[in-house]
Amino acid sequence: MDNTLTPEQSLRLIESMIGQAKKSFSRVSFYFLLWGVLLTLAMLATYLLRDLPNAVGQGAPWGVAGIGGGIISGIHGARQGKREPVNNPMDGLIGWLWSSFVITMFITIVMSVMDQRDPAAMITLLTGIPTFMTGQIMRFRPLIIGGVIFWLAAIAMHITQDPLVLTLLYCGAMLLGYIVPGIMLKRQEDGLRTA
């Protein structure tokens, strides 16, 4: 069976892949920026409130960030789905990857709290996987590097117990792993829209 594509078929395939890339860029940049900012603020608040009673000083900033980010993400995703319905394999793969990460993260947080352990280092380690894989799927080097930065930060967070160092490591990983790649993705998205 001859699987050679005609020039027209090759052109249509290329156009389809470019279209998928455009949609995927526009779908993920918002989430990297939103969650990068929210989780950085949550970590800074946790550090500033560290001397308050446990529930307020440790859990409240993360709860506010998680609930607020979930609501904003849900509203944004629903609006975007109505405005630009997209159902392509690339979006589906990235969606399942991040869904499995969220489930794993939730289980890790619950287990860590039950064992009275700080989950931050383990969550940072896990965050490297979907960030790295999303970068590989999208062929976007800043996210690939961001995933590696999350892994390195997690190793360092396992070594130190100093609250200030932990805060700086986490916020630095968020800045370089989520926020900077998110800004670069947004610029690519804007460039593709005007192309």
Side-chain angles (χ1 to χ4, degrees), residues 110-154:
V110 171
M111 301 286 284
S112 296
V113 170
M114 289 175 64
D115 290 342
Q116 297 184 334
R117 288 185 285 116
D118 183 358
M122 189 56 73
I123 295 301
T124 304
L125 183 66
L126 291 172
T127 304
I129 299 172
T131 306
F132 181 85
M133 287 304 299
T134 300
Q136 290 286 4
I137 292 167
M138 297 177 68
R139 297 286 187 257
F140 190 65
R141 191 180 302 270
L143 279 178
I144 297 171
I145 295 171
V148 174
I149 289 172
F150 276 116
W151 290 331
L152 295 175

Side-chain angles (χ1 to χ4, degrees), residues 147-189:
V148 174
I149 289 172
F150 276 116
W151 290 331
L152 295 175
I155 292 170
M157 290 172 76
H158 273 94
I159 295 171
T160 183
Q161 296 296 320
D162 184 85
L164 178 59
V165 175
L166 286 170
T167 301
L168 292 175
L169 285 168
Y170 185 84
C171 292
M174 275 293 153
L175 175 66
L176 298 174
Y178 271 15
I179 296 174
V180 171
I183 292 170
M184 296 173 78
L185 275 171
K186 185 73 172 69
R187 287 180 179 168
Q188 284 203 13
E189 169 194 340

Side-chain angles (χ1 to χ4, degrees), residues 35-127:
W35 286 101
V37 170
L38 283 177
L39 296 178
T40 299
L41 292 176
M43 188 64 171
L44 290 173
T46 300
Y47 176 74
L48 295 174
L49 299 173
R50 66 188 182 282
D51 294 329
L52 294 179
N54 289 339
V56 177
Q58 301 299 318
W62 298 103
V64 171
I67 293 170
I71 291 172
I72 295 170
S73 295
I75 293 171
H76 178 79
R79 286 182 178 171
Q80 196 172 38
K82 288 180 182 176
R83 192 172 58 243
E84 302 174 37
V86 176
N87 186 16
N88 63 62
M90 186 179 290
D91 278 345
L93 185 60
I94 292 173
W96 282 114
L97 174 66
W98 284 93
S99 296
S100 63
F101 164 69
V102 170
I103 293 168
T104 306
M105 181 179 67
F106 181 75
I107 293 170
T108 302
I109 290 172
V110 171
M111 301 286 284
S112 296
V113 170
M114 289 175 64
D115 290 342
Q116 297 184 334
R117 288 185 285 116
D118 183 358
M122 189 56 73
I123 295 301
T124 304
L125 183 66
L126 291 172
T127 304

